[in-house]
Amino acid sequence: MQKGCLDDSYHVNMIINLLMRFPEIFTVTYNLAASSYCLSYMIKGKVNQECYSELRRRLKENLEAYCYFKKKESCKIRLEKKHYGGFTQLEVKLAGENLTGEEISLITRLINDAYGHNLISELRPEDVELDEEAATWEEMMSLFPSKRDAGSEVNRLFAFREAGKVYVYDQ
């Protein structure tokens, strides 16, 4: 097996783990070369500008506070919205290879708090039973290399959930 293939599988497993742990995340796009993520969330109905601006402010403030207390470099975040008929897709774009499960959990929780049951999720978090001996997110992330192999052909991964299955594509 080629070394590049093994490294690519680590990134695929990371994305699968992300979608399994956070069922509110609608899709994930991971750019290996830039070490950047795009997490999308789907909301029922049209999100008004006031609620959207409040969410942007809360995300920025909470992530800055998190980084301050963890003594870590601030995570660069950008929030965008797109309307599709009776739905709104929120895209959270994150740069940086040191993204933790706590940060993703914080982002997901803030979006869940803002939109409640209008946030589309395949399974509600209270319906998900995780193995008590399962590794923590940070333990799982430490297994994955942060830099990709120079010989790797995979550049950008796209993943989504459907009917309990996770599909990952190389774009």
Side-chain angles (χ1 to χ4, degrees):
M1 177 184 279
Q2 295 176 346
K3 184 176 175 19
C5 294
L6 181 62
D7 289 345
D8 294 342
S9 70
Y10 286 140
H11 298 291
V12 170
N13 289 332
M14 176 186 61
I15 292 171
I16 291 169
N17 188 29
L18 180 73
L19 286 169
M20 294 305 292
R21 288 191 180 267
F22 300 100
E24 300 89 353
I25 297 175
F26 195 69
T27 64
V28 176
T29 304
Y30 179 57
N31 184 329
L32 279 76
S35 292
S36 64
Y37 302 82
C38 178
L39 310 175
S40 74
Y41 299 83
M42 195 64 79
I43 313 295
K44 293 178 197 169
K46 190 171 183 178
V47 172
N48 66 37
Q49 188 60 36
E50 183 181 325
C51 189
Y52 175 72
S53 296
E54 176 65 15
L55 176 62
R56 288 178 68 176
R57 183 189 63 76
R58 289 188 67 211
L59 279 170
K60 183 176 185 269
E61 287 176 356
N62 280 274
L63 282 172
E64 283 177 2
Y66 171 83
C67 291
Y68 174 79
F69 287 115
K70 290 290 189 173
K71 296 178 178 27
K72 111 175 233 191
E73 186 178 322
S74 186
C75 178
K76 294 178 179 135
I77 185 169
R78 198 169 79 214
L79 182 66
E80 296 178 4
K81 69 176 177 172
K82 298 176 184 174
H83 298 287
Y84 298 100
F87 299 95
T88 302
Q89 180 184 31
L90 295 178
E91 291 184 337
V92 180
K93 298 182 178 186
L94 304 153
E97 53 196 54
N98 295 327
L99 190 65
T100 68
E102 290 175 337
E103 290 167 300
I104 294 172
S105 182
L106 176 63
I107 291 165
T108 301
R109 189 71 203 159
L110 289 169
I111 292 174
N112 192 20
D113 289 347
Y115 300 106
H117 288 288
N118 287 331
L119 177 61
I120 296 175
S121 173
E122 186 172 46
L123 298 171
R124 292 288 173 197
E126 56 271 11
D127 296 334
V128 177
E129 292 182 27
L130 295 176
D131 184 4
E132 291 180 19
E133 296 181 23
T136 66
W137 175 260
E138 281 68 31
E139 289 170 345
M140 292 296 291
M141 291 297 284
S142 70
L143 298 175
F144 307 129
S146 59
K147 298 284 186 195
R148 70 185 187 105
D149 181 27
S152 174
E153 294 182 20
V154 174
N155 292 314
R156 190 175 164 112
L157 298 172
F158 174 77
F160 66 94
R161 292 175 60 119
E162 183 179 302
K165 296 178 184 174
V166 175
Y167 298 91
V168 182
Y169 296 95
D170 178 15
Q171 290 185 315

